[in-house]
Amino acid sequence: MTTRLTVAQATVRFLANQWTERDGVEQRLVAGCFGIFGHGNVAGLGQALLQATTQGDADLPYHLARNEQAMVHAAAAFAKTRNRLQTLACTASIGPGSTNMVTGAALATTNRLPVLLLPSDFFATRVASPVLQELEDPRSYDVSVNDALKPVSRFWDRVNRPEQLPSALLAAMRVLTDPAETGAVTLCLPQDVQAEAFDWPEEMFDRRVWHVRRPVPEPAVLDRAVATIRAARRPLIVAGGGVVYADAADALVRLAEATGVPVSDTHAGKGAIPWDHPQAVGGVGSTGSPVANRLAREADVVIGLGTRYSDFTTASRTQFANPGVSFVNLNVTAFDSAKHSAVAVVTDARSGLTALTEALAGWRVDEDYVAAYQAHQTEWNREVDHAFRLGHEPAPAQTEVLGALHDVLDPSDVIVQAAGSLPGDLQMLWRARDPKSYNVEYAYSCMGYEIAGGLGTKMADPGREVFVLVGDGSYLMMAQEIVTAVAEGIKLNIVLIQNHGFASIGALSDSVGSQRFGTSYRRRNPDTGLLDGEVLPVDLAANAASLGADVIRTTTIDELRAALAKSRASDRTTVVEIVTDPLAPVPSSDSWWDVPVAETSQLESTRAARAAYEKDKAAQRGYLRPADPNAADTRKSSKERDGR
Ligand SMILES: Cc1ncc(C[n+]2csc(CCOP(=O)(O)OP(=O)(O)O)c2C)c(N)n1
Ligand SMILES: [Mg+2]
């Protein structure tokens, strides 16, 4: 039995029938489709989506975005919120629509988040080449701009003939639903092929359930991990995104409570352990808390859970400074688990944590160790309280904005952020209680993710209030999805932090001796020749109002607190603007980040920064030491020490 449909109609019908299953729970894999139409997809996927919507042909709701990069960000945020078990498809026209998706694809792949991209492509038959927006490469007629999506996709294919579609779709679904391989998945659909009819085998459209695996650790490797941990005196857990995606927060807390090991976290792992749990020590690394960073400096065994060990986590490989440090990594990808010469336990985070807790039964760290880190944590919590209520004048500090948010938000409300000085402040200061309350994209740290990411987050979890925190720089890059939110009746709270430029890169520039050059949004100053003149007459609140949002302007923290409460209570997308001082003080993380400084310079500021840089850089480590060269001996000695 066959069904005659176009390639686009078959794609839509197929996608509407894909499901994921984990722990017995089934969900739609592709819950909808974002798009922007042009000649590449209007008659192909556009027609198929219209037919799906109006004829009940297939259940794949269509959402019109305002920018292709942003729609991929929204899809990634959606997938992140749904723990990678669901995502959205994104259709773009050929040429610029498709290449606009490259940054979104890179963000998704870097963050290991599934998104399905359906860029259109020029005619497979080439009869009308070069078509509008076709890149002509004189060396090969087979090259298209969509090839730019290859290095940022975990699976990439071009469907040049209808017969190729079934295998391409199946491969795409497999990669999307594989926790170790997932990321951006790209199926390029030439515009003529999209409209071409074919007789499809009916079983192609059967309901298909993709089991999302939870691999368990190999016993021999688990033994090595247990031996290494049992021999540790000052272990530290680093909880990453894998813990959240595997729904392993409870398993993490059980391991921590059974063993006394302190738990630090990365951006993607924040909230996996509630901030006020007695064993939570906060963010680790360049923008982490001084408590976690002190533990990291002294740790003899680092237990990395679902983390990719970005340079922010390792402070560019200086944070784990104990000369004898070894790593035990539990990760669903072999690639990440092997980092830093670790005992590489390839496992789903929840399966691995459960097995580890069982295998470590009876073992606990010294109570002195626990008492010491808990005392430091209590001190640090007081410092955070102080940063939340700094009373900085005349314009408030950004840390006070976080304080106001902390006062007004419900613990289940979601913070969405990605770039600027906010990620650092949030990793250090934000008090997350719930693993889904913190969506800070800090793998690609892409300016422009914020509002689009907020949109995807709210679509994925409409029951929660979503607070997008966005700097003026990021806002100016990508604010247009406010219009999508308004059109769809999707309510966002957007906190716009106006500090007239890049507080983050300004501070970084200062620290590397570059004198904040080119980091302020100011008029060109005729005296200096630099962009350090008057503040610009830019009114971003007016801009937000023009896009259809309600707007509240604030200048003090009291006004901000009231505005946040009003925004939260409203059912309309609201932008709350606050002007802050980009130079206000922030607590120190007691850490470092490797940003190379000019080796030779005519500027004294650069020479001084270079001298400091060379000193800091000397602490950088390779982490080459094998994790447990004598696993058997270690096991024996740990058993002896335990008196077993
Ligand atoms: C797309 C993109 N371009 C450039 C950067 C580098 N960058 C990181 S933060 C930043 C400035 C962000 O400015 P703003 O949003 O105002 O935040 P602030 O630093 O003021 O907190 C820049 C340019 C980036 N992360 N993403
Ligand atoms: Mg700014």
Side-chain angles (χ1 to χ4, degrees), residues 1-19 28 30 33 44-45 47-53 55-61 89 116 118 165 169 173 198-208:
M1 287 280 281
T2 59
T3 310
R4 193 161 176 80
L5 296 170
T6 67
V7 164
Q9 291 158 0
T11 301
V12 168
R13 188 177 288 188
F14 176 90
L15 293 179
N17 282 302
Q18 305 307 304
W19 295 71
R28 280 283 299 278
V30 182
C33 183
L45 272 169
Q47 189 279 340
L49 287 160
L50 165 71
Q51 192 167 306
T53 307
Q55 309 298 305
D57 210 28
D59 178 21
L60 200 69
L116 176 61
L118 304 171
L165 183 68
L169 283 171
M173 300 302 110
F198 188 75
D199 296 311
W200 308 94
E202 281 207 334
E203 62 262 31
M204 180 176 160
F205 306 110
D206 285 351
R207 187 175 192 275
R208 212 170 283 265

Side-chain angles (χ1 to χ4, degrees), residues 398 419-422 445-447 471-474 477 499 501-505:
Q398 187 163 280
S421 56
L422 277 160
S445 185
C446 186
M447 289 171 78
D472 56 314
S474 282
M477 276 212 189
N499 56 20
F502 308 160
S504 51
I505 307 300

Side-chain angles (χ1 to χ4, degrees), residues 433-451:
R433 262 178 213 280
D434 164 336
K436 301 318 295 182
S437 69
Y438 188 83
N439 177 344
V440 176
E441 182 283 296
Y442 210 63
Y444 210 52
S445 185
C446 186
M447 289 171 78
Y449 170 83
E450 296 87 349
I451 293 170

Side-chain angles (χ1 to χ4, degrees), residues 222-232 235 237 255-256 258-261 303 328 330 352-365 638 642 644:
L222 187 67
D223 279 355
R224 288 162 57 91
V226 168
T228 307
I229 295 170
R230 279 182 180 270
I237 289 172
L255 174 77
T259 59
V261 179
I303 306 169
V328 172
L330 275 62
L353 277 163
T354 308
L356 200 57
T357 308
E358 212 170 282
L360 286 170
W363 175 81
R364 248 188 102 74
V365 296
S638 76
D642 293 347
R644 294 187 304 129

Side-chain angles (χ1 to χ4, degrees), residues 69 73 103 398 417-423 425 441-442 444-450 469-478 496-508 518-519 521 540 580 582 593:
Q69 178 184 328
H73 291 339
T103 298
Q398 187 163 280
Q417 227 287 311
S421 56
L422 277 160
D425 289 3
E441 182 283 296
Y442 210 63
Y444 210 52
S445 185
C446 186
M447 289 171 78
Y449 170 83
E450 296 87 349
L469 274 51
V470 60
D472 56 314
S474 282
Y475 181 91
L476 281 167
M477 276 212 189
M478 246 191 217
L496 167 55
I497 300 186
Q498 173 60 280
N499 56 20
H500 301 287
F502 308 160
S504 51
I505 307 300
L508 178 63
T519 62
Y521 287 159
L540 297 183
T580 61
W593 186 35

Side-chain angles (χ1 to χ4, degrees), residues 560-632:
L560 175 67
R561 215 178 281 116
L564 292 173
K566 191 168 172 205
S567 169
R568 196 177 182 286
S570 167
D571 58 2
R572 291 160 52 88
T573 288
T574 306
V575 175
V576 177
E577 187 200 47
I578 174 97
V579 182
T580 61
D581 177 359
L583 303 178
V586 190
S588 166
S589 65
D590 254 346
S591 187
W592 185 65
W593 186 35
D594 189 348
V595 177
V597 180
E599 201 167 354
T600 177
S601 168
Q602 294 155 12
L603 305 172
E604 173 47 33
S605 61
T606 315
R607 287 197 294 272
R610 177 70 196 189
Y613 175 72
E614 283 174 12
K615 204 160 139 270
D616 289 332
K617 188 146 177 85
Q620 206 158 39
R621 305 270 308 273
Y623 301 136
L624 302 174
R625 187 173 163 272
D628 64 334
N630 305 302

